[in-house]
Amino acid sequence: MPIYTYFIVIIVLLTYVFITCAGDASYQSIKALQESLLSSTTYSTTIRPVKDQSKPLTIDVSFSLVAIVSVDNVRQELLTNGFIFLFWDDEIHTWNETNYSGFNRLAPEAKQVWRPRLLLINTLDERDPFEDDHSHTFFGEDGAMGWVPGGLFSTYCALNMEKFPFDVQACQIQMCPMSYTIPSILFDADEEMNVAFYYPNPGWDLLETSVTVENISVIPGEAFSCPTFAFKLKRRSTTIVLNVILPVIFISVLNNLVFFIPGDAGEKISYAITVLLALSVFLSMVSTMTPQVSDTVPALTIYLFVLLLSSVLTVAAAILTVYLHHKDEREEASIRTKTTFQHSVNKITNIRTAVAPMTSVENPSSKHLKASTATDDNDRRPCVPRQNKYRMISRHIDKVFFVLVKGVWLIMTIWYFTFANS
């Protein structure tokens, strides 16, 4: 075997031993570092990591928004998905990286270090959203500490539904460290959120975001530094306009056309009632989309209610006009019946006169002669058609209500779209 082969084998073995020893030394260095820093004898997770406990601890806070999951109009609930970034200086966790194989960063479990526990103030679900203690933490050799908890935040949002579905809503997530007052913890916030990982919501547009810190006084003489994450959202109204508003406008236009249907068509009342039922269905649909109890009434609800009221008046007007239309026909039939009966009685009287005794026939009284002459004159009198006054009244009622309903529809439609888009 050539001698250079022995040199190659020796070099490979030495390299393997060096790498193995160095790797083992690195692992042992990290283990020793973690045991020395996180030992229960030298460190407590319930005490602020400040050597002078009389000094406040400043924490930088920011919010990374992942998604606006949903906005519940009825419950007035905002459900968001995001991460909270918290950074502070830990005076206890410091070391010299040269003493630990050059390592200047550790990532322990969240329950192994002190953290500013934040509670949701305007929550509709869990008060403490970080109970799992599995969120990521890290710190460096200079004591720079970071904690990034995240999850779903279900919070209350007072929705102003006056301009629904063209509304813009302002919602917020408010948190407070209820264990520490302002002399102990102070928050310093970024002005805007991080939206690098944001997934747009199909029903809402995100207009603005902000992160602020408010001082809230709960106990007299004591206040809490509370970070607040605010969102400004605009509803995407295309779906509601196509599914609700435009069908309502078209149906209300058909409601005006009921007065063009003749009274003897037989479908006037049923047509008006059908339009009324259709409007009531859309009103119930809108009521399921809006809060049952609210300080403000949506303009769309007022608009639909007025259209429904005008439809009720349309049904009443249709019933009245149809009644007047057929009422005149009943009077004409009664008059014709009376005339036919009188004509029959007169003929019977004439027949009895014709078969009377000869003395009566030869010397008829003036009374029978006058009656016969009057009857013949009535039979020969030309028939003048009577004027149908009830039908004329029904036509005028149709005209008046058509102008009234059309005016109400036009005024309310212009008012709603002007107010909703103002």
Side-chain angles (χ1 to χ4, degrees):
M1 178 180 294
I3 190 169
Y4 65 86
T5 305
Y6 292 101
F7 284 108
I8 295 175
V9 173
I10 293 172
I11 292 172
V12 172
L13 291 176
L14 290 175
T15 304
Y16 174 76
V17 171
F18 177 78
I19 294 174
T20 304
C21 293
D24 183 66
S26 299
Y27 177 81
Q28 295 299 329
S29 297
I30 295 176
K31 183 178 179 182
L33 174 62
Q34 188 166 345
E35 289 177 353
S36 64
L37 293 178
L38 304 178
S39 175
S40 60
T41 58
T42 59
Y43 178 76
S44 175
T45 59
T46 59
I47 303 175
R48 292 182 305 123
V50 180
K51 293 180 180 180
D52 187 357
Q53 290 293 308
S54 62
K55 295 181 179 180
L57 177 63
T58 302
I59 301 175
D60 295 329
V61 59
S62 61
F63 191 87
S64 179
L65 181 64
V66 176
I68 300 293
V69 180
S70 65
V71 179
D72 194 327
N73 298 327
V74 179
R75 293 188 61 195
Q76 301 198 26
E77 175 189 14
L78 172 67
L79 185 61
T80 55
N81 183 5
F83 294 91
I84 301 175
F85 289 82
L86 300 168
F87 302 96
W88 65 94
D89 291 330
D90 192 325
E91 298 179 359
I92 308 300
H93 289 143
T94 58
W95 70 92
N96 189 349
E97 61 177 301
T98 59
N99 298 332
Y100 297 93
S101 301
F103 288 99
N104 58 3
R105 186 184 180 95
L106 283 180
E109 294 183 1
K111 62 183 179 181
Q112 293 179 300
V113 297
W114 177 91
R115 294 161 296 155
R117 303 294 293 186
L118 294 173
L119 299 180
L120 278 172
I121 302 301
N122 58 337
T123 182
L124 293 178
D125 196 3
E126 295 292 337
R127 184 68 61 185
D128 187 355
F130 315 121
E131 290 182 347
D132 54 3
D133 289 326
H134 294 300
S135 52
H136 183 61
T137 60
F138 54 90
F139 58 89
E141 61 169 342
D142 56 350
M145 191 74 181
W147 180 37
V148 188
L152 295 176
F153 305 98
S154 175
T155 55
Y156 173 76
C157 180
L159 302 178
N160 187 350
M161 303 292 290
E162 277 189 314
K163 298 182 179 181
F164 174 83
F166 306 100
D167 51 331
V168 176
Q169 303 296 340
C171 301
Q172 61 183 13
I173 301 174
Q174 191 173 43
M175 295 184 174
C176 277
M178 302 305 294
S179 301
Y180 300 96
T181 56
I182 286 180
S184 300
I185 289 181
L186 296 175
F187 283 97
D188 187 13
D190 295 338
E191 294 182 357
E192 294 184 358
M193 296 182 188
N194 181 10
V195 293
F197 303 101
Y198 176 69
Y199 293 93
N201 186 283
W204 294 86
D205 289 326
L206 183 63
L207 301 181
E208 296 178 6
T209 61
S210 63
V211 182
T212 58
V213 177
E214 300 179 4
N215 297 333
I216 299 177
S217 179
V218 180
I219 303 173
E222 295 185 355
F224 296 91
S225 179
C226 302
T228 301
F229 315 111
F231 312 89
K232 190 173 182 181
L233 307 172
K234 182 179 180 181
R235 191 190 304 271
R236 295 181 178 177
S237 57
T238 304
T239 302
I240 299 177
V241 169
L242 294 178
N243 292 336
V244 178
I245 297 180
L246 289 182
V248 165
I249 293 176
F250 296 152
I251 291 175
S252 58
V253 170
L254 294 178
N255 189 37
N256 299 331
L257 301 180
V258 69
F259 301 106
F260 290 96
I261 301 177
D264 53 357
E267 299 294 335
K268 191 168 187 174
I269 298 177
S270 60
Y271 178 88
I273 293 176
T274 302
V275 174
L276 174 63
L277 293 177
L279 289 175
S280 63
V281 169
F282 282 104
L283 182 60
S284 64
M285 288 176 57
V286 173
S287 65
T288 60
M289 301 178 185
T290 55
Q292 302 299 320
V293 179
S294 179
D295 295 335
T296 58
V297 180
L300 182 58
T301 302
I302 299 175
Y303 176 61
L304 286 175
F305 178 77
V306 174
L307 293 183
L308 186 69
L309 182 62
S310 65
S311 183
V312 171
L313 296 177
T314 300
V315 172
I319 294 174
L320 179 61
T321 54
V322 171
Y323 170 75
L324 293 176
H325 184 88
H326 292 285
K327 183 178 186 308
D328 192 64
E329 291 184 352
R330 288 195 295 269
E331 287 194 359
E332 287 184 352
S334 177
I335 293 174
R336 285 196 298 270
T337 302
K338 290 180 181 180
T339 304
T340 303
F341 178 76
Q342 186 66 35
H343 185 68
S344 301
V345 170
N346 292 337
K347 284 188 176 183
I348 292 173
T349 303
N350 292 336
I351 292 174
R352 291 179 60 186
T353 302
V355 296
M358 289 297 295
T359 55
S360 301
V361 175
E362 291 176 356
N363 298 302
S365 63
S366 60
K367 179 178 180 180
H368 289 293
L369 287 174
K370 290 180 180 180
S372 177
T373 305
T375 302
D376 294 339
D377 291 341
N378 289 334
D379 293 339
R380 289 191 299 269
R381 186 179 301 167
C383 182
V384 180
R386 295 177 64 253
Q387 188 176 9
N388 194 331
K389 58 181 180 179
Y390 290 107
R391 288 189 179 181
M392 290 182 61
I393 294 174
S394 67
R395 294 193 189 100
H396 287 300
I397 291 175
D398 281 339
K399 293 178 181 179
V400 170
F401 272 88
F402 171 75
V403 174
L404 178 63
V405 173
K406 184 178 181 180
V408 171
W409 172 82
L410 186 61
I411 292 173
M412 291 303 300
T413 302
I414 295 175
W415 168 81
Y416 171 69
F417 282 100
T418 303
F419 175 78
N421 291 280
S422 61

